[in-house]
Amino acid sequence: MAKKAPRRTAERILEVTLDLFNRFGEPNVSTTLISAELNISPGNLYYHYPAKDELINSLFDRYEAGLTELLNAADGVRDVEDAWFFLHTLFELIWQYRFLYRDLNDLLSKNRRLETHFQGVLKDKRRAVRALLDGMSRSGAVRIDAREVEPTATSMVVVLTYWLSFEYVRDPRHALEPDAAQQALLRGAHHVLHLLVPYLEPAQRSHLLQLAGAYGGGSAPGA
């Protein structure tokens, strides 16, 4: 059997950096730590990524590309089941790059490129949520006054953007650890969808409550 080609150093650097950023937070991870974790010289790291911001930007670019592809799926949402799956998948992507959300304000204050691109991310999320509401309205799953669509979409995006921050503040030592992921994502999806409860048709409302119960959704402990 032919041996697999070794992974390129630049790819390994990004993978390890993402893991360290997620575990410890970007401000707490130095390029020296990244080099030590990879067992390479700082010079080798600088050859591929001459500044820490280049590591951050490269990881953000990957997140943004995945997000753009995923948000396009909002056009296909027609009911609570579709919305639940869409939001859970979205939270999975956010979790994969959770350092961005854990340290969001700090990152934006230091990185102009990230600041401008993240504003685009918020706009794209709002467009996707409006498309979700549109599809559910057309199918009869929700009945919502046109005047309430925009504030409801904005509220949903706020929860999408800051849910992991809430989880982290609630339990800083454990909330963003891998073994906490599944419940954090399910709670997030449930709370975003719960904003639609006043507008859901009765059968759809019942289905949402069933989904939340079946998958352990609901309020975070201590909330």
Side-chain angles (χ1 to χ4, degrees):
M1 181 183 294
K3 291 183 178 179
K4 292 183 178 179
R7 287 177 300 171
R8 292 170 55 242
T9 302
E11 178 69 22
R12 286 182 56 238
I13 290 171
L14 282 184
E15 289 179 3
V16 169
T17 299
L18 178 60
D19 179 60
L20 291 173
F21 282 177
N22 282 340
R23 284 164 57 194
F24 303 116
E26 177 274 329
N28 303 314
V29 176
S30 66
T31 52
T32 302
L33 176 59
I34 296 168
S35 300
E37 188 77 9
L38 284 157
N39 197 27
I40 63 175
S41 70
N44 197 354
L45 176 63
Y46 297 145
Y47 172 79
H48 294 282
Y49 300 98
K52 189 178 178 184
D53 271 356
E54 294 198 23
L55 286 165
I56 295 168
N57 291 340
S58 294
L59 289 171
F60 176 79
D61 288 346
R62 292 185 172 202
Y63 164 70
E64 190 174 30
L67 182 68
T68 298
E69 181 178 354
L70 176 56
L71 292 181
N72 289 334
D75 292 330
V77 173
R78 294 292 178 268
D79 54 27
V80 160
E81 186 86 25
D82 292 343
W84 181 275
F85 179 76
F86 170 77
L87 290 169
H88 190 267
T89 306
L90 182 53
F91 271 114
E92 284 181 337
L93 179 65
I94 290 171
W95 180 268
Q96 186 181 349
Y97 294 90
R98 58 194 176 277
F99 82 93
L100 290 168
Y101 289 84
R102 169 177 172 168
D103 305 309
L104 183 57
N105 291 349
D106 184 66
L107 284 168
L108 297 186
S109 70
K110 297 186 302 186
N111 187 317
R112 176 62 179 164
R113 180 176 182 272
L114 212 62
E115 178 188 341
T116 56
H117 277 249
F118 220 94
Q119 289 170 359
V121 164
L122 288 181
K123 290 177 183 176
D124 290 343
K125 284 182 181 177
R126 287 178 69 179
R127 279 195 293 267
V129 170
R130 286 196 298 266
L132 177 150
L133 292 173
D134 238 17
M136 294 181 74
S137 294
R138 288 196 304 271
S139 70
V142 300
R143 293 188 180 278
I144 182 169
D145 189 296
R147 294 168 296 181
E148 296 184 84
V149 170
E150 197 62 36
T152 301
T154 298
S155 296
M156 293 172 75
V157 171
V158 169
V159 179
L160 273 170
T161 303
Y162 289 103
W163 177 255
L164 286 184
S165 295
F166 170 77
E167 290 277 331
Y168 181 70
V169 171
R170 183 182 62 80
D171 186 7
R173 294 182 181 274
H174 306 106
L176 300 187
E177 293 300 313
D179 59 359
Q182 191 61 13
Q183 287 303 309
L185 303 186
L186 290 169
R187 284 194 295 266
H190 175 243
H191 278 270
V192 174
L193 274 182
H194 193 76
L195 292 167
L196 296 183
V197 165
Y199 313 110
L200 288 172
E201 288 297 289
Q204 290 290 299
R205 188 180 302 119
S206 296
H207 189 47
L208 173 59
L209 296 176
Q210 289 170 1
L211 284 171
Y215 293 107
S219 296

